[in-house]
Amino acid sequence: MSLDERQRRILESIIKDYVATAEPVGSRSVVRKHALNISAATVRNEMADLEEMGYLEQPHTSAGRIPSEKGFRYYVDCMMENENPTDEQIELLHQVLEDRVQEWNDVVQGVGHFLSQVTNYASFIIVPSVKLSQFQNLQLIPIQEGQALVLLITDVGLIMHRKINIPKSIMPDDLQFISALFNRVLRGKRLKEIKRSDLMTLRDELKNRRHIIDKALEAVDNLLSNSSDERVVISGALNIIKEPEFKDLDKLRRILTLLEEDGQLREVLPDHISDTVDILIGQENRSEDIREMSLVMAGYKTGSEMGKIGLIGPVRMEYWKAAGTVESVRQVIEEILRKRNS
Amino acid sequence: MSLDERQRRILESIIKDYVATAEPVGSRSVVRKHALNISAATVRNEMADLEEMGYLEQPHTSAGRIPSEKGFRYYVDCMMENENPTDEQIELLHQVLEDRVQEWNDVVQGVGHFLSQVTNYASFIIVPSVKLSQFQNLQLIPIQEGQALVLLITDVGLIMHRKINIPKSIMPDDLQFISALFNRVLRGKRLKEIKRSDLMTLRDELKNRRHIIDKALEAVDNLLSNSSDERVVISGALNIIKEPEFKDLDKLRRILTLLEEDGQLREVLPDHISDTVDILIGQENRSEDIREMSLVMAGYKTGSEMGKIGLIGPVRMEYWKAAGTVESVRQVIEEILRKRNS
DNA sequence: ATTAGCACTCAAGCAAGGAGAGTGCTAACA
DNA sequence: TGTTAGCACTCTCCTTGCTTGAGTGCTAAT
């Protein structure tokens, strides 16, 4: 059932051609472009065989062949060599990110932009929920008469804050005392595991400063409940408008909506993450809605949790380039995260 | 040159019909739908007059009429009554924003979402640059062994922060001292007016703590140069995909790109802001790129600066609804800002 | 001033025909 | 046995011409 060398070369020719042009590929153009020493007729015979085996298909009798999803899968699994971004591109990415190591949002933005720019596909980045990180440190900081800032810092260095009003009678020392109290009770807990009951025990401990404690509790509660769940950031969604497979306005709208509407993409991505590059082609996708798209993605480790980056494009995708880019970017991200946490 | 009552009613009929259906309106459907006591032939005569005056145009001889941009302009200026959102909708908006008053980003998000949801057009919000606000307060806060947080607070209550490494020998008191120093020099300056020279004088003042000062200076410098300029946030860009005038893929792509690509929309908007609702129809727009779109927008005051909100849609727009919604939302925003700064 | 009637115009939709690309099959060839 | 040239066949796409229907402008009657 496996292919001989000539069949593989023909399959590859067809894939490269079809990916580039989005047109069915005829026997003549296979010999013309790839100068194998065989005639078009021979290629036709091989193509018929490849079709029978399911690697190619024919839109209609008198058209050329296009690779089937099985054909792409075979190519990806058995023949493909990743095409990495150029050194200049990687350099560029580093430069863009260098200034922003501290601003995780900007990093994500920059990475997404890079992915979609380089590949011309839509990119996505999944950032693990803040709620999975741990409470490290809380501080109440006086900022002006009658106001204080509640500052909450997590183990991965994320900083959240909220302003509260406080009675003017409260002294900085009081604030420090209260901060310490918070820290004692909450340190090391995962944010999502901090329950209202924890906050309540806190409240009971210090009856005489009830008012300010309440304010602080409220702020913390608010911070926790407003802190984002897993976030999905998408870049370059408009790239898909160029693909001829979406010249149908209705299809286009469905896909763009899927990409733009918050959370919709998340529904559609597989849960499993490996730390190598995963590729899902067309029908291999779990969800109906992207059965005519392909995914190329990889996981990255941020502390104890995993995030994902990836590309989404038509089945007729430059998998080699997509996979190479995703892998390179994954490495850069992990490097940055290492730098950031040190 | 001004229109008599009957002409106005005919113009209105045609506008309402055309906006609803995107099809040229014939004389028959004018009488049918709006039961004036006149015949189609009479309407035809009036329509010919209106066309001569430039309020209507005819795509081709045997089609109905469509309103010209001049026609829309006349309607907007002389006949239109705003259609405000329902009380439930306004209530909804308040609810959505209530929890988020402190998180300006979320407010902007929510407002944009509301605007585009209610009107089915793309919305934009321009947030004035942080750099225009004033330095109010800087604090250096120890967060763990060897690390401190530089906290910068502006007059409108915006909080920026950056982590720095510090020698372990530095005590909290040192940090406070340095903070005070910063505050003395910088208080009240506009962020964008803080020059490197200011920072340098600071540096010279305190030679013996040079190292930590340098770190802090670097952090502040970094915060200032990375703080965003005027920001443009767009919501519901995909709404325009529904409009039949953009069934042409190429047009659609141009507009969507304009909307999605950072900063492109800003280029295209007029600089002038009034605090009532402004409407720009098609060719009235400064920029070539949106000469087939219309803008409905208004300014809102945030402290001493002005921001803008608005809608962007096809010339065939429900101006009444757009204007009503923009105006209502403007009021809600100002209300929120008032609450927030108090 | 309004209206009915009618000839005229034009876009959109449909069918028929030709061109072109590409196939599968057959028969000849190494 | 594998390869190749040749040829008839198929199917899409494009063009052309025709028909249909909506809507107009003009004229003559009210």
Side-chain angles (χ1 to χ4, degrees), chain B residues 6 38-39 42 44-45 60-62:
Chain B
R6 194 168 68 184
I38 49 177
S39 77
T42 311
R44 277 203 288 282
N45 289 329
H60 59 265
T61 332
S62 72

Side-chain angles (χ1 to χ4, degrees), chain A residues 6 37-39 41-42 44-45 60-62:
Chain A
R6 195 168 68 186
N37 276 336
I38 49 177
S39 75
T42 310
R44 278 205 287 283
N45 288 331
H60 59 264
T61 333
S62 73

